[in-house]
Amino acid sequence: IVLTQSPGTLSLSPGQRATLSCRASYRVPSDYVAWYLQKPGQAPRLLIYGASTRATGVPDRFSGSGSGTDFTLSISRLEPEDFAVYYCQQYGTSLIFTFGQGTKLEIK
Amino acid sequence: EVQLVQSGAEVKKPGESLKISCKGSGYSFANYWIGWVRQMPGKGLEWMGIIYPGDSDTRYSPSFQGQVTISADKSISTAYLQWSLKASDTAIYYCARVRGITFTIDYWGQGTQVTVSS
């Protein structure tokens, strides 16, 4: 499976809404889709799993949705700490995991 | 508190062998898969492979099969990634815990910076 994230870079201002897309090359069970945030110099951090379930401690301004081949991460009101790189990821068969190439969310 | 603590930064020459480690604590290490992820400078995340410390069942990404060896010692709650280095292997290597039924990567190590230069 290939995961294609769009856009590559998203320029927005604090307080705005962000919508990040992840498209799979073929159908993926929603249970196996996750989103991660990575800030410079840090390890990735789990945000969403099962396509729509927030991980522990993740603010409710983050939400995930989608099914089949199209998945979306939305951030309702951007905070300064949300500007980072976001990766979608899916688990496939034989314990192979695939990541999207990432979307950089930058301050406009 | 679940923690994955990785070994420190390494500077090596091409052709040398390297083994980096990832020590888990705060949970039953043997009962969770541990994966390894590479991040080359300025690039995204690449899945390398995974091991189940309980029985050492190991699977590799096709891109890394035969290039690296993943192992674990459950008695000391530590997983390892070992390989012979090429100049192009300069990267940060992360270990990560994989949780149960949804195969979610829920915890990450801090990363090990590996620099390969002649």
Side-chain angles (χ1 to χ4, degrees):
Chain A
I1 289 181
V2 175
L3 297 179
T4 302
Q5 292 186 239
S6 60
T9 301
L10 184 58
S11 299
L12 294 170
S13 300
Q16 288 190 294
R17 179 182 182 85
T19 302
L20 287 66
S21 174
C22 177
R23 175 163 289 178
S25 55
Y26 56 91
R27 183 180 175 85
V28 176
S30 297
D31 283 351
Y32 298 151
V33 173
W35 290 89
Y36 302 86
L37 169 157
Q38 186 177 33
K39 296 181 180 180
Q42 296 185 17
R45 170 193 165 199
L46 175 66
L47 291 175
I48 300 287
Y49 64 94
S52 61
T53 303
R54 280 188 300 276
T56 303
V58 174
D60 60 7
R61 64 179 182 272
F62 290 90
S63 62
S65 62
S67 63
T69 59
D70 291 302
F71 298 89
T72 300
L73 175 70
S74 298
I75 311 170
S76 59
R77 296 170 307 280
L78 286 166
E79 298 286 344
E81 62 267 27
D82 299 337
F83 292 90
V85 179
Y86 291 81
Y87 295 95
C88 62
Q89 170 259 317
Q90 70 85 31
Y91 161 72
T93 58
S94 302
L95 291 163
I96 301 296
F97 294 72
T98 304
F99 294 95
Q101 82 280 16
T103 289
K104 181 180 181 180
L105 179 56
E106 64 177 24
I107 299 177
K108 188 173 182 178
Chain B
E1 178 193 8
V2 174
Q3 284 193 308
L4 296 173
V5 178
Q6 298 185 229
S7 49
E10 302 273 3
V11 179
K12 294 286 191 180
K13 290 180 167 51
E16 292 186 329
S17 181
L18 179 62
K19 189 175 188 178
I20 61 175
S21 66
C22 169
K23 184 174 177 61
S25 62
Y27 73 100
S28 178
F29 183 79
N31 295 333
Y32 287 80
W33 293 88
I34 291 285
W36 287 93
V37 176
R38 183 175 77 175
Q39 187 168 40
M40 300 177 77
K43 302 298 184 182
L45 305 171
E46 299 176 87
W47 182 258
M48 302 179 73
I50 192 169
I51 188 166
Y52 190 77
D55 62 6
S56 292
D57 185 4
T58 308
R59 315 288 177 87
Y60 296 94
S61 163
S63 299
F64 292 93
Q65 178 80 48
Q67 307 302 310
V68 301
T69 301
I70 295 172
S71 60
D73 184 343
K74 63 184 179 181
S75 69
I76 56 171
S77 300
T78 302
Y80 302 96
L81 176 68
Q82 180 175 13
W83 73 111
S84 294
L85 295 162
K86 303 186 291 291
S88 58
D89 288 335
T90 293
I92 298 174
Y93 294 82
Y94 293 102
C95 65
R97 191 184 83 160
V98 176
R99 181 177 69 202
I101 298 170
T102 59
F103 291 94
T104 298
I105 304 169
D106 59 354
Y107 288 93
W108 296 72
Q110 84 277 18
T112 295
Q113 172 69 56
V114 175
T115 302
V116 185
S117 175
S118 54

